[in-house]
Amino acid sequence: MEPLFTAKSQFTWEECWQMTKTALLRRRHTALAVVALVLLCVLFSAMAGHPYPLLLCILFLAVYMLVVRINTRRAFLANRVMRDQNMSFSFYADRFEVEYSGGHAVIPFDQLFALWETDTNFYLMLSPNQGYALSREGCNEDLAAFLRTKNAKKI
């Protein structure tokens, strides 16, 4: 059976970092914790009359993002199967297939955790922090419309 659509993409460090940031922003508890922390720091700054709590909050968030970036980079470099892989996607009505030098995967759409769309990528997520990045450069508008019919959520 011939695929409805095909596309190619490469999983580079930049793509990995973009996917990690998108996954972090999609976690409601993380976003709520950040908003609560910032509001708490603004409240403490207003009560104390000093900007120090707010500056401490900003420093904490910057250090947190740096630690996440370092850990993501380590994981990317350690993953020899996916690092800098050229992937070929084949899309069918009920599933998609991914081929790369490390293997072949067949994933039914109904088993995806989520399907996210950003301005630069589609993320076919297998779990909250694992998935495939499909660059929008590698897919045409018909494929993008097809993926939107599979409940792709715009981020």
Side-chain angles (χ1 to χ4, degrees):
M1 182 171 158
E2 288 294 314
L4 300 173
F5 303 99
T6 59
K8 294 188 181 295
S9 190
Q10 185 178 27
F11 193 67
T12 62
W13 159 243
E14 291 80 18
E15 295 291 337
C16 180
W17 178 237
Q18 285 295 102
M19 187 165 66
T20 300
K21 289 190 302 187
T22 302
L24 275 174
L25 293 174
R26 292 294 301 165
R27 293 185 186 140
R28 287 199 175 115
H29 64 277
T30 303
L32 290 174
V34 168
V35 169
L37 179 66
V38 170
L39 290 177
L40 194 61
C41 289
V42 167
L43 179 66
F44 285 153
S45 289
M47 288 174 47
H50 299 286
Y52 302 124
L54 191 56
L55 294 175
L56 186 63
C57 176
I58 292 169
L59 179 65
F60 171 77
L61 292 174
V63 168
Y64 175 74
M65 285 307 294
L66 182 64
V67 168
V68 168
R69 187 175 174 93
I70 289 169
N71 287 338
T72 302
R73 180 75 174 167
R74 282 185 190 158
F76 176 78
L77 293 174
N79 188 348
R80 294 181 184 160
V81 173
M82 292 299 294
R83 182 179 60 213
D84 295 322
Q85 284 293 318
N86 291 314
M87 297 179 289
S88 296
F89 292 85
S90 298
F91 293 92
Y92 299 87
D94 61 339
R95 70 187 187 283
F96 70 95
E97 298 181 7
V98 183
E99 288 189 47
Y100 49 96
S101 65
H104 177 87
V106 178
I107 297 110
F109 284 113
D110 62 357
Q111 291 185 5
L112 282 177
F113 170 77
L115 180 52
W116 300 328
E117 177 184 5
T118 65
D119 292 338
T120 57
N121 293 311
F122 281 98
Y123 297 109
L124 301 123
M125 301 302 291
L126 306 175
S127 69
N129 59 355
Q130 179 186 11
Y132 295 102
L134 173 60
S135 174
R136 300 236 3 196
E137 292 175 2
C139 66
N140 60 31
E141 192 53 43
D142 291 337
L143 174 55
F146 172 77
L147 291 173
R148 286 185 198 109
T149 66
K150 300 297 181 187
N151 296 324
K153 293 178 180 65
K154 182 76 173 161
I155 297 175

